[in-house]
Amino acid sequence: MTTWSIREVPVSETVDGNWLLHGYTDAINDVIVSTWGNHDFERSAAEILGSMHDQQYDRKPRLVAVADDDADTPDPARVLGYSAMILPLQDNTHTAHVEVGVRPEHRLQGIGSSLYDTSLALVRESGRTQVTASTDHSVEPPDGPGTLAPSTGAGRVAADADGPRFALQRGFALEQVERYSVLDLPYDAELIAKHRADAEAQAGPDYRLVSWQSHAPQEWVDAYALLLTRMSTDAPLGGLDLEEDVWDAERIRRTEKQWQDRGLELLVLAAEHVPTHTLAAFTCFMEVPTTSVFVHQDDTLVLREHRGKRLGMLVKTANLQRLAVERPSIRRVGTWNAQENSYMLAINVALGFHPAGGAGEWQLKLG
């Protein structure tokens, strides 16, 4: 029987020689492929290390379960599973997010439990009173016996699937279900143009579009910070006990440096409210270094006080048109939405996104 020890992945200057980091990355990618059946979410060691370098706003411990070896061979294949933690340091300091994964061929041996127990001890030592976690599924189960709905009543997970069963056995409650949707490119250009024209007519002359890549123009950095802050409160949270996560210009600039270190690129498009010279809505794509055919549709938000003007449709269609021109190699766009977010889901369906899986969002209150 395999035995193992739990080790922390060191934060090295470069990926060279950091075999625990490479094993951690390989284990993550094995879990991704086994869950989703494709490579869209795969990560690289350099991108992960770039994230670990910046821990100003979140502490990010990374643990691995390493197969015991008398020779202690520095072989990434010895990494059997992993745990990733996010411990906020500025806001929401009552909570921690924990992700645990085990390579498919090493499951049902207690490795996941060992990683989870070690992680939970660290979370408790940090003074947290709540833990959140996610479980992914490539197909949402149909309504019926054996499924579990969140406190919102929107969406389902299979209660006997590995992830949900693991969470339920440890006292987690299902608080939200997110839908994962994919848009295949090239899209229907006439359809996207019509939706944009209709949205522009509804929005009227008080709104105009502005765009940038990963570095926000100084003119908009404070307004962008407000949008990111409001993203933490205006987007549906289901039953998750999360508070406002405050952004400012300094945090944006630091995060932009982190994106650069990770090899990420953003395509941001926002709607300016011309009379007040503020930003009323935004959306963005995130490019990752592991693929040239897939992008994440990252955050999209319309401020509450500007809703009802079809700004969500406007910024999304305009950024899709921009993507087709500036990144013609892209063939898929993936996006996540809370199942209770009927407005944004309706926009995505109208644009041609189709359901491609989802995730359960779980919460545990620590005694």
Side-chain angles (χ1 to χ4, degrees):
M1 179 178 177
T2 303
T3 60
W4 62 86
S5 57
I6 305 297
R7 305 189 193 183
E8 185 164 358
V9 178
V11 184
S12 53
E13 286 297 318
T14 71
V15 301
D16 297 337
N18 192 340
W19 68 274
L20 291 175
L21 172 66
H22 287 285
Y24 173 86
T25 306
D26 293 345
I28 285 177
N29 289 337
D30 279 357
V31 171
I32 287 170
V33 172
S34 70
T35 300
W36 295 101
N38 61 54
H39 301 270
D40 286 348
F41 296 150
E42 280 192 341
R43 304 183 67 185
S44 70
E47 181 266 314
I48 291 172
L49 185 60
S51 173
M52 294 171 67
H53 278 158
D54 184 358
Q55 302 199 30
Q56 175 70 25
Y57 295 96
D58 299 291
R59 185 181 169 202
K60 305 169 185 175
R62 302 292 185 258
L63 306 179
V64 286
V66 180
D68 291 331
D69 185 331
D70 291 338
D72 200 22
T73 309
D75 181 1
R78 292 177 57 211
V79 173
L80 311 177
Y82 65 90
S83 171
M85 285 159 277
I86 299 177
L87 303 168
L89 299 175
Q90 174 180 276
D91 301 306
N92 289 294
T93 56
H94 66 293
T95 194
H97 187 79
V98 176
E99 174 188 337
V100 175
V102 178
R103 296 188 196 239
E105 65 271 26
H106 295 291
R107 291 174 183 168
L108 302 178
Q109 300 181 49
I111 297 169
S113 296
S114 180
L115 285 161
Y116 172 79
D117 291 344
T118 305
S119 300
L120 194 63
L122 191 155
V123 166
R124 289 184 182 276
E125 289 171 7
S126 71
R128 310 298 160 126
T129 59
Q130 172 183 293
V131 182
T132 59
S134 300
T135 58
D136 293 342
H137 49 263
S138 60
V139 177
E140 181 173 307
D143 191 14
T147 63
L148 182 66
S151 55
T152 63
R156 293 171 300 277
V157 301
D160 61 350
D162 290 347
R165 186 173 65 249
F166 188 94
L168 288 168
Q169 289 172 350
R170 286 155 182 81
F172 282 82
L174 181 64
E175 300 291 2
Q176 189 178 55
V177 172
E178 293 197 18
R179 181 192 299 182
Y180 179 62
S181 305
V182 171
L183 175 66
D184 297 313
L185 272 60
Y187 52 69
D188 184 334
E190 290 186 7
L191 175 69
I192 301 300
K194 181 181 185 304
H195 281 306
R196 176 174 176 174
D198 291 345
E200 286 177 331
Q202 179 71 26
D206 281 353
Y207 297 92
R208 74 177 185 94
L209 300 178
V210 295
S211 63
W212 62 86
Q213 292 194 23
S214 297
H215 186 82
Q218 191 62 33
E219 175 185 7
W220 296 117
V221 68
D222 291 328
Y224 187 36
L226 174 62
L227 287 169
L228 294 175
T229 298
R230 293 280 291 273
M231 190 75 204
S232 68
T233 57
D234 287 10
L237 293 173
L240 297 172
D241 177 18
L242 298 174
E243 302 166 355
E244 185 178 67
D245 185 29
V246 178
W247 285 72
D248 56 20
E250 179 182 356
R251 185 173 181 181
I252 285 177
R253 295 305 185 212
R254 191 177 187 100
T255 303
E256 288 172 348
K257 175 62 167 59
Q258 182 191 140
W259 289 331
Q260 181 180 357
D261 292 345
R262 295 172 65 184
L264 305 179
E265 184 77 30
L266 297 190
L267 297 179
V268 184
L269 190 140
E272 175 196 359
H273 184 235
V274 177
T276 58
H277 192 54
T278 59
L279 298 182
F282 85 110
T283 190
C284 66
F285 294 119
M286 177 180 286
E287 295 181 275
V288 295
T290 53
T291 177
S292 62
V293 296
F294 171 82
V295 295
H296 297 276
Q297 166 67 73
D298 207 43
D299 292 339
T300 300
L301 180 73
V302 179
L303 294 180
R304 291 183 184 274
E305 52 269 35
H306 293 279
R307 292 179 181 173
K309 307 289 181 59
R310 301 202 68 193
L311 295 179
M313 178 66 81
L314 177 58
V315 295
K316 287 176 75 78
T317 51
N319 218 26
L320 277 171
Q321 291 174 328
R322 174 191 182 192
L323 182 71
V325 173
E326 297 183 14
R327 302 294 189 272
S329 69
I330 299 300
R331 289 294 171 265
R332 290 179 306 284
V333 178
T335 190
W336 294 87
N337 300 101
Q339 285 280 26
E340 67 269 28
N341 192 353
S342 58
Y343 176 74
M344 197 60 69
L345 282 172
I347 291 176
N348 289 336
V349 170
L351 295 177
F353 282 85
H354 58 86
E361 303 299 332
W362 302 78
Q363 185 170 260
L364 172 68
K365 298 290 187 178
L366 298 177

